Amino acid sequence: MELRDCVNDEQLNIYLDGELTGAEKATVEAHINTCDQCAARTREMRGVGEALKTVTMKAVDEADFSQVWSRVRAEAFPPKPVEEPRRSWLDGLLGDLKNAFSPAFAVAVVIIVAAIVYYSGWLQPVPTPPQPIMEAAIDSKAQIFSIESDSRAVMVLQSTESGATIIIVSDIGSETETNQEPSI
Amino acid sequence: MNNQSRVSSQDNELDDKELLERLRQKDEAAFETLVRRFQKKAFAVAYGHVGDHSEAMEVVHEAFIKVFRSIDRFRGDSSLYTWLYRIVVNVSLDHLRGRKNLPTDSLTHTDDEGEDSGEERHESDTIHHPDRILESAELRAEMQRALDQLSPDHRAVIILREVEGLSYSDIAETMGCTTGTVMSRLFYARKKLQEMLKGHR
């Protein structure tokens, strides 16, 4: 089929957009190939589209796409907070104590313990209780004359012909045996 | 099958159906595939609308986040890619509305510079040889200015057709209109751009 008249603008647009098919497309193409005026119009209209595409694709070429996915991911898939493994109550307590322990804390504990020990008197010398009088040490024949005692000493006197003899002096923390004659 | 689906299927082992299924499960790797597969196309559409690199990149980012948040509501009545294009177009239009009363910094009004250059460009030179348009930022800005003269709907159809190569039916699906409307918008947009670029000397 041959076109008597030139291709109208609507038809030319549809042809340029590739939406004409079959016989219709062939007819328009045949006319454009033989009509200088329609060929010029076709070039001009096609040039508009090509210019638009060229300008846009140049902008695409100049654009930096390296960060597009990382930006989208950061917003769409934010990193999840790291979950700590579950602990038993004992682990938790020990962990808390471990966390609470620090050099300053240790120094404070030592000072407090030392103060308690000092003021409680735990470190003072323990008084030795008075030693019991060893009856075995006394001559079985001796007769206990008297027992004198004050807060610090116990004295055992043995009565003899010459007078009293001190046989045992027991003092707190020490024991002395003597045969000294009494000074009185 | 539309052009975009066919191309993407060849580019990646993951076909669109499987990709969509994994996207619905919020699969991170699937989203990465989608972003890497579609980012340049999305940028081209966004740039055609806003005419500025950084703003177009912002549109792309927002569009992908919208896709992530609304993928559950995508029923699959249209193809995944026409749905993506629709989101990019809508986000681009939101940006344009946001700066409605602001000066367009992407445009450089360099009429004076053109006169100073002393070059006389005939209309046929400009239109028939797109490379010459890129010879200077002035002419590149002129294309953007011509696009800005179009309504958002006319701009969207001419970009989807000329830059992305979508068919009438895909454009109609993207824009939510009939193919007849697409044809008439394309006819008007192309004619208007032709006049604007002819006027540039």
Side-chain angles (χ1 to χ4, degrees):
Chain A
M1 184 182 160
E2 203 170 307
L3 282 177
R4 288 183 181 178
D5 300 321
C6 287
V7 183
N8 63 38
D9 283 347
E10 287 86 347
Q11 253 187 321
L12 200 54
N13 267 273
I14 298 169
Y15 167 73
L16 283 172
D17 290 331
E19 299 280 341
L20 285 183
T21 55
E24 210 173 0
K25 181 184 176 186
T27 304
V28 170
E29 256 174 5
H31 178 80
I32 290 170
N33 288 337
T34 56
C35 175
D36 291 344
Q37 197 181 347
C38 284
R41 286 169 57 222
T42 304
R43 281 197 300 274
E44 198 170 326
M45 289 175 85
R46 185 175 281 141
V48 172
E50 287 174 351
L52 176 58
K53 184 169 185 177
T54 307
V55 166
T56 309
M57 294 318 289
K58 185 166 173 57
V60 172
D61 289 343
E62 290 170 356
D64 177 12
F65 293 95
S66 62
Q67 303 300 314
V68 175
W69 167 239
S70 59
R71 279 191 69 202
V72 171
R73 182 176 56 184
E75 194 166 336
F77 301 94
K80 294 174 183 173
V82 179
E83 287 185 14
E84 289 185 7
R86 285 190 174 186
R87 301 181 305 174
S88 68
W89 65 269
L90 182 61
D91 289 339
L93 182 64
L94 290 175
D96 292 343
L97 286 175
K98 205 179 288 179
N99 291 336
F101 192 80
S102 67
F105 179 75
V107 169
V109 168
V110 168
I111 291 172
I112 291 168
V113 169
I116 291 171
V117 169
Y118 179 79
Y119 287 108
S120 66
W122 291 348
L123 296 180
Q124 290 176 2
V126 180
T128 306
Q131 295 295 318
I133 298 170
M134 301 293 290
E135 290 184 3
I138 301 172
D139 187 347
S140 59
K141 291 180 181 177
Q143 185 180 358
I144 293 172
F145 176 71
S146 66
I147 297 176
E148 295 182 10
S149 175
D150 56 18
S151 60
R152 298 215 25 106
V154 174
M155 190 183 298
V156 178
L157 302 176
Q158 186 177 18
S159 163
T160 61
E161 292 175 353
S162 58
T165 301
I166 301 170
I167 59 168
I168 294 173
V169 174
S170 179
D171 195 356
I172 295 172
S174 66
E175 187 174 302
T176 305
E177 189 173 337
T178 180
N179 290 320
Q180 286 180 347
E181 290 295 324
S183 56
I184 50 172
Chain B
M1 182 192 285
N2 67 44
N3 191 38
Q4 299 306 315
S5 301
R6 189 165 56 244
V7 170
S8 60
S9 298
Q10 291 166 351
D11 286 351
N12 199 301
E13 292 176 2
L14 202 62
D15 65 31
D16 292 349
K17 191 179 175 186
E18 191 183 350
L19 178 63
L20 177 59
E21 191 57 40
R22 288 174 56 183
L23 290 173
R24 284 183 170 138
Q25 295 166 6
K26 299 289 171 92
D27 181 288
E28 186 176 333
F31 271 95
E32 183 175 4
T33 299
L34 179 77
V35 168
R36 296 198 188 282
R37 194 184 281 183
F38 192 66
Q39 59 188 1
K40 288 188 178 180
K41 295 176 186 298
F43 179 86
V45 173
Y47 184 83
H49 280 84
V50 300
D52 176 79
H53 270 92
S54 59
E55 190 170 5
M57 203 55 92
E58 202 55 38
V59 168
V60 170
H61 175 74
E62 288 175 29
F64 279 125
I65 294 299
K66 269 197 169 184
V67 168
F68 175 78
R69 290 183 179 152
S70 55
I71 191 73
D72 294 334
R73 297 196 294 275
F74 175 60
R75 293 174 301 180
D77 294 341
S78 61
S79 87
L80 176 63
Y81 286 92
T82 55
W83 183 66
L84 292 173
Y85 278 122
R86 191 185 311 164
I87 289 176
V88 176
V89 168
N90 287 339
V91 175
S92 299
L93 296 180
D94 287 346
H95 272 248
L96 289 177
R97 282 188 211 104
R99 67 178 188 190
K100 198 174 181 180
N101 297 318
L102 298 175
T104 312
D105 58 1
S106 63
L107 297 180
T108 312
H109 299 282
T110 51
D111 292 346
D112 293 342
E113 291 172 17
E115 287 173 9
D116 290 342
S117 70
E119 291 178 14
E120 185 179 346
R121 290 184 176 82
H122 296 286
E123 56 200 48
S124 56
D125 287 345
T126 302
I127 294 172
H128 293 166
H129 303 285
D131 288 348
R132 293 195 182 176
I133 288 179
L134 302 176
E135 285 175 359
S136 70
E138 173 198 349
L139 290 171
R140 193 170 162 182
E142 193 63 32
M143 173 59 83
Q144 190 60 49
R145 180 155 38 197
L147 279 173
D148 286 348
Q149 296 301 311
L150 300 177
S151 74
D153 285 339
H154 289 101
R155 198 183 317 185
V157 293
I158 193 81
I159 291 167
L160 292 174
R161 172 62 220 153
E162 298 292 4
V163 179
E164 296 302 306
L166 263 62
S167 66
Y168 284 180
S169 61
D170 283 345
I171 296 172
E173 202 172 274
T174 300
M175 301 298 293
C177 61
T178 64
T179 53
T181 304
V182 171
M183 271 197 284
S184 65
R185 283 177 182 169
L186 264 176
F187 178 74
Y188 176 85
R190 201 172 266 137
K191 195 172 181 182
K192 187 83 177 172
L193 281 183
Q194 205 172 337
E195 288 169 4
M196 293 287 297
L197 295 172
K198 270 183 183 177
H200 178 79
R201 287 176 183 271

